[in-house]
Amino acid sequence: MEPYIDVAAPVKNALKEGKPVVALESTIITHGMPFPANKNMALEVETIIRERGAIPASIALVNGRIKVGLTTAMIDELAQTSNAVKISKRDLSYVIQQSLTGGTTVSATMLIAEAVGIDVFATGGIGGVHRGHKDTLDISRDLEELATCSVAVVCAGAKSILDIEKTLEYLETKAVEVIGYQTDVMPEFYTASGDFSVSHRLDSVKEIATVFHVKRRLGFNGGMVIANPIPQEASMDKTTIDRVIEQEIKQANAHHIKGKALTPYLLSALEKATKGQSLTANIALVKHNAALAADLAISMAKLS
Ligand code: PSU
Ligand code: MN
């Protein structure tokens, strides 16, 4: 991958010196939130990571180059350009060949983070097994990279636009630990609560860092999910959001929205249906995840 990657100087130096670095995805910028909330979120998240003592590495494709560490101008372009591609692993070679610009999903971001040696990655929510997957076969590529890339992914769980129970089953099959940070249940993105158990609960960052360290020393490939519940003050009412999600999935089906367009469609439909509440919650949880990811990167840097 190296010939196609440009690593920004601060990230390169931090990696060389073994300093803590946190990778950030960019589909959340290009397809997850509207402008200017997306741009502000991306910049704020980087600031949070720096303030905790780690180096942020936002990852995206700009004119066919893989960028690890983005300038404000690049973030601004990604936030506003209407023809940005949503890039998962299968899209990478095409996007490079065509010199396109786009946001990397959890899947592509993990691949790139691993290639440059970044251990920790913060996002909002991971993709997973979609509801209705029996008919559509729609299972996010994210789960495959979680199975194979050695990167710890901090997220607020998986939102109930997905089939969370099946997502957890799939991760179990692929031997991906789902660590609940100070929680016994898989949080459901917009809500701190959830109906399904995580694989293991850990209450300290140091323990999480050590589990990941041990996993590597055992010679096991693959990532780890760290499920960090949305802060209580930002958590939405579960009955309300679940009802809206149910409604919007019906709409998506009626409009034949599928494949890679489905997640962005649902995110934007939820925002409208909740009059912006889901967007506010999304921003709060991403910031919260960035802070935990920074602490985790710092803890992991001490171990290696
Ligand atoms: N979940 C969110 N916001 C997002 C995504 C997921 O709350 O923007 C993005 C992530 O980049 C994730 C991708 O990797 O959607 C998954 O898309 P799909 O379901 O098409 O695999
Ligand atoms: Mn899909």
Side-chain angles (χ1 to χ4, degrees):
M1 227 185 252
E2 219 164 290
Y4 300 104
I5 306 184
D6 301 324
V7 184
V11 178
K12 196 181 272 181
N13 293 336
L15 289 170
K16 210 186 295 164
E17 292 164 20
K19 292 203 176 126
V21 177
V22 176
L24 296 159
E25 63 141 312
S26 47
T27 292
I28 194 169
I29 305 173
T30 55
H31 293 76
M33 291 179 191
F35 182 82
N38 55 355
K39 177 185 172 184
N40 295 335
M41 175 280 305
L43 295 173
E44 281 174 47
V45 158
E46 291 203 346
T47 304
I48 289 168
I49 291 169
R50 277 192 204 99
E51 281 174 357
R52 310 282 288 205
I55 304 293
S58 295
I59 295 177
L61 271 96
V62 179
N63 302 325
R65 296 290 302 170
I66 300 172
K67 300 286 182 190
V68 178
L70 301 175
T71 61
T72 303
M74 288 175 192
I75 290 178
D76 190 51
E77 188 194 340
L78 288 161
Q80 299 202 56
T81 177
S82 56
N83 51 7
V85 185
K86 176 178 162 186
I87 306 164
S88 86
K89 184 180 182 184
R90 66 124 194 231
D91 310 292
L92 258 182
S93 11
Y94 171 81
V95 167
I96 291 170
Q97 191 275 327
Q98 294 281 314
S99 304
L100 301 177
T101 292
T104 49
T105 62
V106 169
S107 142
T109 309
M110 284 187 84
L111 277 170
I112 296 162
E114 183 178 57
V116 299
I118 302 176
D119 298 332
V120 182
F121 165 21
T123 182
I126 54 167
V129 178
H130 280 266
R131 295 196 202 173
H133 60 95
K134 278 196 206 125
D135 297 320
T136 62
L137 273 186
D138 193 351
I139 300 174
S140 176
R141 178 69 205 176
D142 292 356
L143 301 184
E144 305 302 326
E145 258 62 66
L146 279 164
T148 55
C149 294
S150 268
V151 177
V153 180
V154 180
C155 65
K159 65 178 79 56
S160 44
I161 62 172
L162 299 170
D163 186 329
I164 296 172
E165 191 174 22
K166 304 284 193 311
T167 300
L168 291 169
E169 284 295 343
Y170 200 94
L171 289 170
E172 182 182 352
T173 301
K174 300 283 180 175
V176 180
E177 302 90 332
V178 179
I179 305 289
Y181 178 60
Q182 301 180 346
T183 178
D184 295 303
V185 295
M186 179 70 160
E188 295 188 0
F189 196 85
Y190 298 117
T191 54
S193 58
D195 294 330
F196 308 101
S197 299
V198 292
S199 21
H200 309 286
R201 170 187 177 137
L202 288 173
D203 290 343
S204 78
V205 171
K206 195 174 167 203
E207 287 171 301
I208 300 174
T210 310
V211 168
F212 194 65
H213 185 69
V214 172
K215 176 169 181 162
R216 283 193 162 160
R217 296 198 62 179
L218 287 168
F220 295 168
N221 290 326
M224 211 165 86
V225 173
I226 293 100
N228 184 33
I230 183 171
Q232 209 57 56
E233 65 275 11
S235 186
M236 298 177 73
D237 177 62
K238 185 163 157 56
T239 326
T240 312
I241 190 74
D242 281 350
R243 187 166 23 85
V244 178
I245 286 170
E246 198 94 35
Q247 215 171 287
E248 295 308 329
I249 288 178
K250 277 200 194 114
Q251 284 296 314
N253 287 338
H255 292 104
H256 307 289
I257 311 283
K258 48 192 168 187
K260 69 196 278 187
L262 182 60
T263 300
Y265 171 91
L266 288 173
L267 289 175
S268 126
L270 290 180
E271 189 205 327
K272 280 191 202 90
T274 62
K275 300 194 173 67
Q277 268 190 56
S278 66
L279 177 61
T280 307
N282 201 343
I283 294 167
L285 66 86
V286 175
K287 289 189 196 170
H288 193 230
N289 294 343
L292 178 59
D295 294 350
L296 183 61
I298 290 165
S299 198
M300 274 165 48
K302 287 184 191 143
L303 290 171
S304 46

